[in-house]
Amino acid sequence: MFDIKYVGDLSKADAFLLAYYGWRSDNILEFGAGASTQIFAQCKPKSLISVETDPNWIERTRANLATLGLVNAVQFADYHDIPS
């Protein structure tokens, strides 16, 4: 069983659902960084892009990822600059 670790207020049921789909995905594009980003990063997709509007929230999520040992697992993008 996959041991899901994350910092945030996401329910365990939601975390398992995200992990279920994350493990089956090669590329993930999400809107809004946070606990979901931490979960998707643990699934080790080929690419994980998180689009976020708040630079402070990006830094907070980066710090949480570092705590989990998931440095450089996510590419963050400003919502004005969504990758093609």
Side-chain angles (χ1 to χ4, degrees):
M1 181 110 231
F2 179 57
D3 184 30
I4 302 170
K5 295 178 173 60
Y6 58 94
V7 178
D9 60 357
L10 197 63
S11 74
K12 283 288 185 188
D14 287 345
F16 279 108
L17 183 64
L18 289 169
Y20 174 84
Y21 286 107
W23 276 110
R24 288 156 180 77
S25 302
D26 289 329
N27 303 294
I28 299 171
L29 173 64
E30 71 165 346
F31 291 84
S36 60
T37 311
Q38 299 165 54
I39 293 164
F40 286 144
Q42 292 172 73
C43 297
K44 303 193 186 304
K46 292 178 184 174
S47 70
L48 170 53
I49 300 169
S50 183
V51 180
E52 178 57 56
T53 60
D54 184 350
N56 294 321
W57 198 254
I58 290 173
E59 290 311 311
R60 182 176 180 172
T61 302
R62 277 192 175 126
N64 290 337
L65 288 165
T67 298
L68 296 172
L70 299 167
V71 180
N72 299 322
V74 180
Q75 176 186 347
F76 290 95
D78 183 275
Y79 72 102
H80 287 113
D81 207 19
I82 297 173
S84 60

